[in-house]
Amino acid sequence: MQALIDRKDFTIKCALIVGSAIISAIALNFFLIPGNIFSAGINGVSQILSILALKWFHVRINTGWLILIFNIPIGLLGWLKIGRGFTVYSFITSFLTSILAVILPVQTLSHNPLLSALFGGILTGVGVAYPLKYGFSTGGMDIIAVILEKTTGKTIGTLMIAINLVIVLIAGTLVGWENAMYTIISLYGMSRVVDAIHTRHQKLTAFIVTTEPDDVIDGLKKTLIRGVTILPAQGAYKRRPGAVLMVVISRYELYELEHVVKTVDPGSFVNLVSTVDIEGNFYDETEQLKFKQGQSE
């Protein structure tokens, strides 16, 4: 059962890597680059440098190769600050995005810059958000944003807006302030999509109905640093004794919680409730990391 679940998890992540890379490359080559609208993060920086290389040195450099070059040092930073699994999947995603950006031709699907900005931003947001939801990213500034989210508590989308402000200013200087304003529209659309899909800052209360509470609790303790409340229960249909486990988690931990519960007790039932506010000791990601490091010493 564990091998089957792990294989399913790996398959989902591989599908997300391919899907995210295709969507990001389409957003870049079909909407943003033809409309002189700059993308977020490293993609936007690569666009700017590509324009400068052509304008100043008359050298045409494909944006995809620049994206790949920039992601190498940022990937090393992610390896040190976030974790091995996150960084490996993220680098593979950024590598595949770079290759597809080189292979796919730059085509103009719309001559309306507003449509190009909106569709480019929305597609970029989708390509960024789903990998983040499943524990990795598209590389580049996403990695930096995740590191900053851990230290500031701000949402990923808000941090991306702050990080990309300099791109807007450079876009206005190089291409024109009208294009800079369309870039702002694109970045805003991207950030809204990211925050709508990647809601790791939200809190949830999980009620886990199980007949194997001890095994489930042991599994949760190995994965999450969260308190679990045991509520004795009995099934009304078969009158079998069991328990309801109540645990409050951040949204980013939902995938791990569901993975553990279904691995230990496939017949369990999980009810998720949105939590408006919490009072008391609730470890964020940074505090959890410190706690785990203390346990390993």
Side-chain angles (χ1 to χ4, degrees):
M1 176 62 71
Q2 179 64 47
L4 181 63
I5 293 175
D6 289 342
R7 191 158 51 246
K8 181 181 178 181
D9 178 69
F10 178 74
T11 303
I12 290 173
K13 288 185 176 180
C14 287
L16 284 171
I17 288 172
V18 175
S20 173
I22 292 173
I23 290 172
S24 298
I26 289 174
L28 199 61
N29 284 16
F30 292 175
F31 294 100
L32 299 177
I33 291 178
N36 280 328
I37 300 163
F38 292 91
S39 182
I42 291 302
N43 292 2
V45 173
S46 299
Q47 285 178 260
I48 290 172
L49 291 179
S50 180
I51 291 174
L52 289 179
L54 184 61
K55 184 177 181 180
W56 291 351
F57 305 105
H58 306 289
V59 176
R60 188 178 297 276
I61 303 176
N62 193 288
T63 304
W65 294 122
L66 292 173
I67 293 172
L68 181 60
I69 290 170
F70 279 116
N71 271 293
I72 293 174
I74 293 178
L76 293 175
L77 178 65
W79 183 285
L80 297 173
K81 295 292 185 180
I82 301 175
R84 183 178 304 175
F86 179 93
T87 305
V88 170
Y89 283 117
S90 300
F91 185 79
I92 294 173
T93 306
S94 64
F95 176 79
L96 187 56
T97 301
S98 305
I99 297 301
L100 289 175
V102 172
I103 294 174
L104 290 177
V106 176
Q107 295 183 356
T108 302
L109 296 187
S110 173
H111 294 283
N112 186 324
L114 181 58
L115 287 177
S116 295
L118 286 174
F119 275 90
I122 290 170
L123 288 174
T124 301
V126 172
V128 168
Y130 277 103
L132 285 172
K133 186 175 181 179
Y134 282 84
F136 59 103
S137 78
T138 55
M141 288 297 183
D142 300 344
I143 293 177
I144 296 176
V146 170
I147 294 172
L148 290 176
E149 185 197 34
K150 290 183 176 184
T151 57
T152 64
K154 303 294 184 181
T155 68
I156 289 284
T158 301
L159 289 167
M160 283 181 176
I161 285 290
I163 290 172
N164 292 310
L165 179 61
V166 66
I167 293 177
V168 174
L169 296 176
I170 296 175
T173 304
L174 288 179
V175 184
W177 291 107
E178 184 174 325
N179 293 84
M181 288 187 282
Y182 285 126
T183 298
I184 292 174
I185 293 173
S186 177
L187 293 176
Y188 180 79
M190 180 208 69
S191 69
R192 294 305 92 196
V193 172
V194 169
D195 277 347
I197 297 174
H198 177 64
T199 51
R200 68 188 291 139
H201 56 283
Q202 295 179 0
K203 304 296 186 296
L204 297 172
T205 299
F207 293 94
I208 306 166
V209 182
T210 177
T211 56
E212 303 176 24
D214 293 335
D215 293 337
V216 173
I217 291 172
D218 289 340
L220 291 175
K221 283 182 177 180
K222 294 176 182 177
T223 308
L224 306 175
I225 303 175
R226 297 294 177 210
V228 180
T229 300
I230 303 174
L231 307 174
Q234 185 182 56
Y237 183 68
K238 293 185 177 180
R239 299 294 177 178
R240 289 195 302 174
V244 176
L245 307 179
M246 186 185 76
V247 54
V248 180
I249 59 173
S250 293
R251 188 67 184 247
Y252 78 92
E253 297 171 307
L254 175 58
Y255 182 74
E256 291 181 333
L257 180 138
E258 291 178 333
H259 181 81
V260 169
V261 173
K262 291 304 178 183
T263 300
V264 176
D265 184 8
S268 62
F269 179 82
V270 181
N271 179 30
L272 299 167
V273 180
S274 295
T275 301
V276 177
D277 196 11
I278 54 174
E279 295 291 339
N281 191 18
F282 188 86
Y283 282 5
D284 60 19
E285 289 175 271
T286 303
E287 291 171 329
Q288 289 193 32
L289 182 59
K290 290 180 180 178
F291 186 83
K292 289 178 179 179
Q293 290 174 344
Q295 284 184 324
S296 61
E297 291 177 356

Coordinates of all heavy atoms in Angstrom, one line a residue, residues 45-62 66 174:
V45 N 13.3 39.0 -15.6 CA 14.7 39.5 -15.7 C 15.4 38.9 -16.9 O 16.1 39.7 -17.6 CB 15.5 39.0 -14.4 CG1 17.0 39.3 -14.5 CG2 14.9 39.6 -13.2
S46 N 15.1 37.7 -17.3 CA 15.7 37.1 -18.5 C 15.2 37.8 -19.7 O 15.9 38.0 -20.7 CB 15.3 35.6 -18.6 OG 15.8 34.9 -17.5
Q47 N 13.9 38.2 -19.7 CA 13.3 39.0 -20.9 C 14.1 40.3 -21.0 O 14.4 40.7 -22.1 CB 11.8 39.2 -20.7 CG 10.9 38.1 -20.9 CD 9.5 38.4 -20.6 OE1 9.0 38.1 -19.6 NE2 8.9 39.1 -21.6
I48 N 14.3 41.0 -19.9 CA 15.0 42.3 -19.9 C 16.4 42.1 -20.4 O 16.8 42.9 -21.3 CB 15.0 42.9 -18.5 CG1 13.6 43.3 -18.1 CG2 15.9 44.1 -18.4 CD1 13.4 43.7 -16.6
L49 N 17.1 41.1 -19.9 CA 18.5 40.9 -20.4 C 18.5 40.5 -21.9 O 19.5 40.9 -22.6 CB 19.2 39.9 -19.5 CG 19.5 40.3 -18.1 CD1 20.1 39.1 -17.3 CD2 20.3 41.5 -18.0
S50 N 17.6 39.8 -22.3 CA 17.5 39.4 -23.7 C 17.3 40.7 -24.6 O 18.0 40.8 -25.7 CB 16.4 38.4 -24.0 OG 16.3 38.1 -25.3
I51 N 16.5 41.6 -24.2 CA 16.3 42.8 -24.9 C 17.5 43.7 -24.9 O 17.9 44.3 -25.9 CB 15.1 43.6 -24.3 CG1 13.8 42.9 -24.6 CG2 15.0 45.0 -24.9 CD1 12.5 43.5 -23.9
L52 N 18.2 43.8 -23.7 CA 19.4 44.6 -23.6 C 20.5 44.0 -24.5 O 21.3 44.8 -25.1 CB 19.8 44.7 -22.1 CG 18.9 45.5 -21.2 CD1 19.5 45.4 -19.8 CD2 18.8 46.9 -21.7
A53 N 20.6 42.7 -24.5 CA 21.7 42.1 -25.3 C 21.5 42.4 -26.8 O 22.5 42.7 -27.5 CB 21.7 40.6 -25.1
L54 N 20.2 42.4 -27.2 CA 20.0 42.7 -28.6 C 20.1 44.2 -28.9 O 20.6 44.6 -30.0 CB 18.5 42.3 -29.0 CG 18.1 42.4 -30.4 CD1 19.0 41.6 -31.4 CD2 16.6 42.0 -30.6
K55 N 19.7 45.0 -27.9 CA 19.8 46.5 -28.1 C 21.2 47.0 -28.1 O 21.5 47.9 -28.9 CB 18.8 47.1 -27.1 CG 18.7 48.6 -27.3 CD 17.7 49.2 -26.2 CE 17.5 50.7 -26.4 NZ 16.6 51.2 -25.4
W56 N 21.9 46.6 -27.1 CA 23.3 47.2 -26.9 C 24.4 46.4 -27.6 O 25.3 47.1 -28.1 CB 23.6 47.2 -25.4 CG 22.7 48.1 -24.6 CD1 21.9 49.1 -25.1 CD2 22.6 48.2 -23.2 NE1 21.3 49.7 -24.0 CE2 21.7 49.2 -22.8 CE3 23.3 47.5 -22.1 CZ2 21.4 49.6 -21.5 CZ3 22.9 47.9 -20.8 CH2 22.0 48.9 -20.5
F57 N 24.3 45.1 -27.7 CA 25.4 44.3 -28.3 C 25.0 43.6 -29.6 O 25.8 42.9 -30.2 CB 25.9 43.3 -27.2 CG 26.3 43.9 -25.9 CD1 25.5 43.7 -24.8 CD2 27.5 44.6 -25.8 CE1 25.8 44.3 -23.6 CE2 27.8 45.1 -24.6 CZ 27.0 45.0 -23.5
H58 N 23.7 43.8 -30.0 CA 23.2 43.2 -31.2 C 23.4 41.6 -31.2 O 23.7 41.0 -32.2 CB 23.9 43.8 -32.4 CG 23.8 45.3 -32.5 ND1 22.7 45.9 -32.8 CD2 24.8 46.2 -32.3 CE1 22.9 47.2 -32.8 NE2 24.1 47.5 -32.5
V59 N 23.3 41.1 -30.0 CA 23.4 39.6 -29.8 C 22.0 39.1 -29.4 O 21.4 39.6 -28.4 CB 24.4 39.3 -28.8 CG1 24.4 37.7 -28.5 CG2 25.8 39.7 -29.2
R60 N 21.5 38.1 -30.2 CA 20.2 37.6 -29.8 C 20.3 36.4 -28.9 O 20.9 35.3 -29.3 CB 19.4 37.2 -31.1 CG 18.0 36.8 -30.9 CD 17.3 36.4 -32.2 NE 17.2 37.6 -33.0 CZ 16.2 38.5 -33.0 NH1 15.3 38.4 -32.0 NH2 16.3 39.6 -33.8
I61 N 19.9 36.5 -27.7 CA 19.9 35.4 -26.7 C 18.5 35.0 -26.4 O 17.7 35.8 -26.0 CB 20.7 35.8 -25.4 CG1 22.1 36.3 -25.8 CG2 20.8 34.6 -24.5 CD1 22.8 36.9 -24.6
N62 N 18.3 33.7 -26.6 CA 16.9 33.2 -26.2 C 16.7 33.3 -24.7 O 17.5 33.0 -23.9 CB 16.8 31.7 -26.7 CG 15.4 31.2 -26.7 OD1 14.8 31.0 -25.6 ND2 14.8 31.1 -27.8
L66 N 18.6 32.0 -20.7 CA 18.9 32.9 -19.5 C 18.1 32.4 -18.3 O 18.7 32.5 -17.2 CB 18.5 34.3 -19.9 CG 19.3 35.0 -21.0 CD1 18.7 36.3 -21.3 CD2 20.8 35.2 -20.5
L174 N 12.9 50.8 -20.2 CA 13.4 50.2 -21.5 C 12.3 50.2 -22.6 O 12.7 50.6 -23.7 CB 13.8 48.7 -21.2 CG 15.0 48.5 -20.4 CD1 15.3 47.0 -20.2 CD2 16.3 49.2 -21.1

